[in-house]
Amino acid sequence: MSTSAAAKATPPEPSAPQEPTSGLDRYFKISERGSTVAREIRGGFATFFAMAYIIVLNPIILGSAKDMYGHQLDGGQLVTATVLTAAFSTLLMGVIGNVPIALAAGLGVNTVVALQLAPKMAWPDAMGMVVLAGIVVMLLVATGLRERVMSAVPVGLRKAIAIGIGLFIMLIGLVDSGFVSRIPDAAHTTVPLQLGGDGHLLGWPVLVFILGTLITLALIVRKVPGAILISIVVMTIVAMVINAVADIPSWGLTTPEWPGNPVATPDFGLVGEVSLFGGFGKVGVLTGILFVFTVLLSCFFDAMGTILAVGDEGKLTDKDGNFPGINKVLLVDGLAVASGGATSSSATTCFVESTAGVGEGARTGLASVVTGALFSVALFLTPLATMVPSQAATPALLAVGFLILAGSIKDIDWSDYTIAMPAFLAMVMMPFTYSITNGIGIGFVSFSLLRLAAGRGREVPVAMYVVSAVFVFYYAMPALGLT
């Protein structure tokens, strides 16, 4: 899940449809959609640079977590897996879906995998659940149920889920950067978090994070395309200079040092390291199903929102607001989720940064082919990605979290308490319990109960009651001795 300042660009109006001038033009319907090859290429580059930060952030988020056996994923292999899946999925979206939508590991769902799935099972088990979620998405598309399931969840609650994930991402960024740290239980205090490592902001790494945050926000305010990526590059250079001249005890996950050789052969060691059903043996069938469901929801709503946003901004919808050929797009999205698990890069989903390319004039899948090709080139630049310290990359999490909130909170009906209260609970419970599952579950259950209490139970879809009941049972399992 993601967004960027570049996504706010105003797209140029498409030209009047023209007759195809070549086979390429005819296949991608470039002239038919009022675009040109130059616009598509320019749009492909814009999208790549707007979302390239995921090459750095996804390995940091996944690489910082341990599975139940204490194993961590290799940073270099994670970069390869992240880039490989982004390249494959985006190329597929261009060729099959023929829309200017790029895909990569979703921010939000990767935190579910890193912080909720992995600690309770082995990494292959966790990635197997991601694959299963992708298979379910494809089945929902094939049966026509995906859009029906979407309509069962109120718009306000969908927006709240997105906001909650954004707030969760922000908290992770603050913690991973060292700006906020957990107070040890031995301190015997009711305050769980503190500023810095000891209540104060000290050290060069924290300063890098603060400066990076200020630069990122300033670039976003000025609507600079690729603001997040620019900030990461600038602060990585600053961190390298500081590391060379100052005595830094620890940078945490990654020390910013120039690699001996910035070009390297991709390491595909994580590809295929998947156990489809191993996780169910570790956590039980019901908990396993809920984990798969959580991954499914995280991808489900984010992708649908992004597809509709790109369709609307790129004038790709018809006069009734429908997106022609959306089933092909949704099918590729489901395949992308599964392929992310198969490569151990977490679920891959549609990126709203694709609107950066639309803002440059892209209207067809050719732009996605260009973006996918650029990701393919990045496969050989792993050493450059693995030298970025978390303090230079985590300001992006704050920016992404804010932009998700800013883009969604206005769409919640705060005057209707039966949706406002569940939305509020869903938003705050994700960061406060450090769990996306808890936020979704509490939001669903409270929505169903409050609508019943207000005498509006008939307005709640049956599917919501079913899912709410599953969550109630899930929360009651410890008391029932079932865990």
Side-chain angles (χ1 to χ4, degrees):
M1 169 169 305
S2 248
T3 188
S4 77
K8 307 298 181 182
T10 301
E13 291 295 325
S15 307
Q18 304 290 330
E19 288 297 320
T21 59
S22 66
L24 182 72
D25 189 347
R26 188 175 300 105
Y27 182 85
F28 287 107
K29 303 180 180 179
I30 298 172
S31 296
E32 180 181 327
R33 295 184 184 178
S35 184
T36 65
V37 172
R39 279 188 180 182
E40 298 301 312
I41 293 175
R42 189 168 66 245
F45 270 83
T47 295
F48 174 78
F49 285 112
M51 63 185 287
Y53 64 85
I54 195 63
I55 299 173
V56 175
L57 278 184
N58 193 52
I60 285 177
I61 292 172
L62 293 178
S64 62
K66 296 180 180 179
D67 66 10
M68 67 181 297
Y69 302 109
H71 299 152
Q72 289 181 282
L73 298 178
D74 178 78
Q77 292 179 340
L78 278 172
V79 172
T80 295
T82 300
V83 177
L84 174 67
T85 313
F88 168 74
S89 302
T90 303
L91 287 169
L92 207 62
M93 184 64 81
V95 174
I96 296 179
N98 194 22
V99 289
I101 295 177
L103 304 93
L107 284 175
V109 67
N110 53 10
T111 61
V112 173
V113 175
L115 301 178
Q116 293 181 234
L117 273 64
K120 298 181 182 298
M121 58 191 74
W123 280 111
D125 301 331
M127 295 303 170
M129 290 192 166
V130 174
V131 174
L132 290 175
I135 293 174
V136 172
V137 170
M138 287 185 281
L139 289 175
L140 289 174
V141 174
T143 58
L145 290 175
R146 181 167 182 177
E147 292 179 70
R148 296 181 188 176
V149 172
M150 271 289 295
S151 63
V153 183
V155 173
L157 204 49
R158 291 183 224 164
K159 298 295 183 179
I161 290 171
I163 293 170
I165 292 173
L167 294 174
F168 190 23
I169 288 171
M170 291 177 69
L171 179 58
I172 290 171
L174 292 171
V175 172
D176 286 353
S177 67
F179 189 86
V180 167
S181 64
R182 185 177 71 87
I183 298 176
D185 295 338
H188 300 294
T189 175
T190 57
V191 181
L193 297 174
Q194 64 185 356
L195 192 66
D198 59 357
H200 303 88
L201 296 176
L202 299 172
W204 288 105
V206 174
L207 179 61
V208 168
F209 169 76
I210 294 173
L211 293 176
T213 300
L214 294 175
I215 289 175
T216 302
L217 297 181
L219 292 174
I220 287 175
V221 167
R222 294 187 63 85
K223 302 185 185 301
V224 176
I228 291 175
L229 181 62
I230 291 172
S231 172
I232 290 176
V233 172
V234 170
M235 294 317 301
T236 297
I237 295 173
V238 171
M240 289 174 59
V241 173
I242 292 174
N243 186 65
V245 300
D247 182 19
I248 312 296
S250 173
W251 285 90
L253 294 172
T254 303
T255 300
E257 295 177 336
W258 182 259
N261 185 0
V263 179
T265 302
D267 187 341
F268 300 99
L270 290 177
V271 177
E273 293 295 311
V274 176
S275 173
L276 274 184
F277 302 103
F280 292 92
K282 306 288 197 314
V283 300
V285 175
L286 180 61
T287 300
I289 291 174
L290 283 173
F291 278 157
V292 172
F293 181 68
T294 300
V295 173
L296 174 66
L297 281 184
S298 298
C299 301
F300 199 94
F301 298 122
D302 188 44
M304 182 66 76
T306 297
I307 291 166
L308 294 179
V310 171
D312 181 63
E313 192 163 353
K315 306 292 189 297
L316 300 178
T317 52
D318 59 24
K319 58 185 176 71
D320 298 319
N322 298 317
F323 198 129
I326 192 172
N327 279 340
K328 290 182 179 179
V329 177
L330 294 176
L331 186 62
V332 173
D333 175 66
L335 183 59
V337 174
S339 65
T343 60
S344 297
S345 63
S346 178
T348 296
T349 188
C350 301
F351 261 50
V352 79
E353 277 85 355
S354 302
T355 50
V358 174
E360 293 291 338
R363 297 290 182 273
T364 76
L366 180 58
S368 294
V369 170
V370 173
T371 303
L374 291 172
F375 270 115
S376 299
V377 173
L379 268 174
F380 301 92
L381 302 175
T382 297
L384 291 179
T386 54
M387 61 175 275
V388 178
S390 59
Q391 291 81 4
T394 47
L397 298 180
L398 270 70
V400 169
F402 164 75
L403 290 169
I404 290 174
L405 185 148
S408 300
I409 199 166
K410 64 181 181 295
D411 296 322
I412 298 175
D413 184 2
W414 296 103
S415 64
D416 180 356
Y417 284 5
T418 64
I419 188 63
M421 288 180 179
F424 172 74
L425 290 172
M427 286 188 288
V428 299
M429 287 303 168
M430 288 187 195
F432 287 170
T433 65
Y434 225 63
S435 167
I436 293 175
T437 302
N438 287 338
I440 293 174
I442 292 172
F444 280 18
V445 172
S446 60
F447 171 74
S448 299
L449 291 178
L450 288 176
R451 281 287 165 95
L452 282 171
R456 300 167 59 185
R458 292 184 178 180
E459 297 177 15
V460 181
V462 174
M464 282 294 292
Y465 282 126
V466 172
V467 175
S468 297
V470 172
F471 270 114
V472 169
F473 181 67
Y474 170 71
Y475 292 130
M477 285 175 63
L480 298 173
L482 299 176
T483 59

